[in-house]
Amino acid sequence: MILDLDIGNTLSKWRLKDIASSEIRSRGAVWTREEWRPRADIPDLDVVSTVRISSVARRAVLDETVALLRRRVGAVHVARSMPEALGVTCGYEEPERLGVDRWMGVLAGYHLTGGCCTVDCGSAITVDFVLPGGRHLGGYIVPGLRLMKESLKLGTRNVAIDPDSEADDLLLPGRNTAAAVNHGIFMAAVSAVNRIYSEVCDSEGTALPLLLTGGDARVVSRGLRIPHAVWPDMVYAGLEACFPLTAAERAGRMSGAPRVPQAASLEKIRASLAISMLL
């Protein structure tokens, strides 16, 4: 089995993938600060032959995890942000400072579409752009839904947005404090993604496919008017592209890759942007 790890600052996600069939056998998550010991929410390392890791946690957390795994597993591959990989040139002045989860998403998105905008809706909402031809422009980071809610300090932290809520309802004024906060942060997140996407497509003169991932992707997705696809395994797909181990991966097939809708025309994007600038 292959163990894929996506280690975040607060939550670490994992999945077990069959190296022969390329099927996903199980998934789970554990708080990053907890000690890594096999339990119901952590995979049995006895069945793992190879590990692939994307980590944005503190260096000490990554080093401790890698040291433990190398005592139990034959091969451990750790993804790093680089100046260039898989036909993509990193847009950061110091590529090693780009969060590797963002880099994995960019590589996966480019591999799937040949140029796109990738949005990761986690603790922070990150928006990155890679143009046809592989030039990564860099990106944007704004507070995620949870961080925006916590910053208000209004006692609504544990009142989450229902991911199945109708977008039109979330855009209405809230009729109690919890609803007002949830509707406000939803509006802020959706507006940020819409405006960033439109501004960059306008300035670069190209309409790019839009891909969303992350824990709040379903929520943000409901408010976007831009054609887009949600890809929960986008970071894992970057690991697959960087360290292909199965026959399917070596053939370029990435787990859970969505059908990507055609981007709106550049003319339509510009018209929408012009209207928003008048409001």
Side-chain angles (χ1 to χ4, degrees):
M1 290 285 184
I2 303 165
L3 172 61
D4 289 324
L5 287 176
D6 177 9
I7 303 175
N9 288 308
T10 55
L11 190 69
S12 295
K13 294 169 286 185
W14 60 267
R15 69 176 191 182
L16 280 177
K17 186 174 187 180
D18 191 302
I19 199 166
S21 67
S22 208
E23 294 180 1
I24 307 304
R25 297 299 187 185
S26 58
R27 298 175 181 269
V30 62
W31 296 111
T32 300
R33 291 181 293 274
E34 293 183 6
E35 188 173 358
W36 185 275
R37 294 187 183 279
R39 298 191 303 276
D41 55 353
I42 293 180
D44 181 1
L45 295 179
D46 290 339
V47 303
V48 174
S49 60
T50 306
V51 181
R52 300 180 290 204
I53 301 174
S54 167
S55 174
V56 296
R58 292 180 297 107
R59 182 59 183 264
V61 173
L62 176 60
D63 290 346
E64 290 170 8
T65 302
V66 170
L68 183 152
L69 290 171
R70 283 184 171 151
R71 291 195 295 268
R72 300 281 304 276
V73 179
V76 178
H77 304 283
V78 180
R80 310 282 185 190
S81 296
M82 306 171 66
E84 188 278 333
L86 304 178
V88 178
T89 302
C90 183
Y92 261 35
E93 296 172 350
E94 299 177 80
E96 68 277 6
R97 293 187 177 275
L98 174 67
V100 71
D101 53 345
R102 292 170 59 193
W103 185 235
M104 291 298 99
V106 165
L107 295 180
Y110 182 73
H111 190 67
L112 181 66
T113 66
C116 62
C117 171
T118 59
V119 180
D120 193 331
C121 305
S123 298
I125 296 174
T126 63
V127 186
D128 282 271
F129 293 85
V130 57
L131 299 179
R135 182 165 67 94
H136 171 236
L137 299 179
Y140 302 80
I141 302 175
V142 299
L145 303 183
R146 180 178 58 82
L147 287 180
M148 281 194 273
K149 185 179 295 188
E150 289 179 356
S151 72
L152 294 173
K153 301 184 185 301
L154 293 176
T156 58
R157 175 178 178 180
N158 295 320
V159 184
I161 299 174
D162 181 351
D164 295 321
S165 298
E166 292 295 332
D168 288 345
D169 292 339
L170 290 171
L171 295 173
L172 294 174
R175 300 182 66 183
N176 57 63
T177 299
V181 169
N182 281 339
H183 294 194
I185 64 176
F186 175 78
M187 178 78 82
V190 168
S191 298
V193 174
N194 277 321
R195 185 62 178 267
I196 290 169
Y197 173 85
S198 299
E199 289 278 5
V200 173
C201 287
D202 176 41
S203 65
E204 294 296 329
T206 183
L208 296 169
L210 177 62
L211 300 170
L212 270 66
T213 194
D216 288 324
R218 282 182 62 205
V219 174
V220 174
S221 168
R222 299 184 74 82
L224 295 180
R225 306 302 187 208
I226 306 163
H228 64 279
V230 176
W231 191 1
D233 278 4
M234 190 160 66
V235 173
Y236 289 140
L239 288 173
E240 293 174 344
C242 289
F243 309 108
L245 298 173
T246 72
E249 292 169 359
R250 289 191 290 271
R253 296 194 296 274
M254 295 178 289
S255 295
R259 184 187 67 82
V260 181
Q262 183 175 356
S265 69
L266 186 58
E267 291 74 18
K268 186 173 182 179
I269 292 171
R270 284 174 167 163
S272 177
L273 180 62
I275 291 172
S276 70
M277 293 176 69
L278 291 173
L279 298 178

